Amino acid sequence: RGAAVMSGRPPAAQPPPELDPGAEPAVTSSDDGLPLTPYWRARLEELTRPSALGLVSSLSPKNALMYENKAGNKDGTLVAFAVAEKAKHTERVLLIRCGDFYEAYGLDALLLVEHAGLNPMGRKARAGCPVGNLQPTLDCLTAAGLTVAVYEELEP
């Protein structure tokens, strides 16, 4: 699976603390058991939409994506790809194209639900938008001060 990455951030937005050389890189854990940097802990605590808040309990501390599917994130799956990319780009919200949709998992999905008003897929921390709605979704996320990485499917 190939991927092309583009990212966006509004000009006035501050970089996440992970990108600030003076920022403390420590990982914090709260009563929920989730290993989050202070930046992502603050983002999680800012959630207000009931549909986003209702998904917090489905986050998994097992990987950087904070998402565990029933298949166990097996190698070669889209979720395994997303987990690997999130480990490389922890400071970005990932949107990964899958057919006619862009999908997000874990905390990234909660941020889509919160800031773009998208509905979660099932009762898991998974959300997405149709290809035709990518730009409005990116606009909502970047307006909230988030940086987004968009992955396109490439032919093998």
Side-chain angles (χ1 to χ4, degrees):
R1 177 178 298 264
V5 180
M6 31 181 198
S7 62
R9 173 183 295 287
Q14 296 296 317
E18 294 91 337
L19 301 179
D20 179 359
E24 183 178 325
V27 174
T28 61
S29 185
S30 184
D31 292 339
D32 55 24
L34 298 172
L36 296 168
T37 62
Y39 175 80
W40 290 113
R41 172 66 55 200
R43 286 299 195 174
L44 184 66
E45 291 173 357
E46 291 171 357
L47 297 177
T48 60
R49 288 184 187 244
S51 51
L53 289 167
L55 295 173
V56 171
S57 63
S58 68
L59 295 175
S60 169
K62 294 183 180 181
N63 57 55
L65 193 59
M66 288 187 238
Y67 182 82
E68 189 73 26
N69 67 9
K70 291 180 183 176
N73 300 347
K74 293 181 182 176
D75 287 343
T77 65
L78 180 63
V79 173
F81 173 78
V83 168
E85 291 304 305
K86 188 65 171 185
K88 293 180 210 172
H89 306 288
T90 58
E91 75 283 358
R92 292 185 172 97
V93 173
L94 306 184
L95 290 176
I96 302 171
R97 186 162 180 176
C98 183
D100 292 333
F101 286 86
Y102 287 93
E103 296 188 8
Y105 304 91
L107 184 55
D108 294 349
L110 273 66
L111 295 171
L112 255 70
V113 171
E114 178 74 17
H115 298 293
L118 299 175
N119 293 320
M121 296 178 186
R123 292 188 174 131
K124 298 195 93 177
R126 184 174 165 218
C129 71
V131 170
N133 289 352
L134 177 62
Q135 191 59 56
T137 300
L138 290 173
D139 292 344
C140 291
L141 295 171
T142 57
L146 298 165
T147 302
V148 182
V150 177
Y151 290 79
E152 296 287 344
E153 288 182 311
L154 301 178
E155 294 296 320

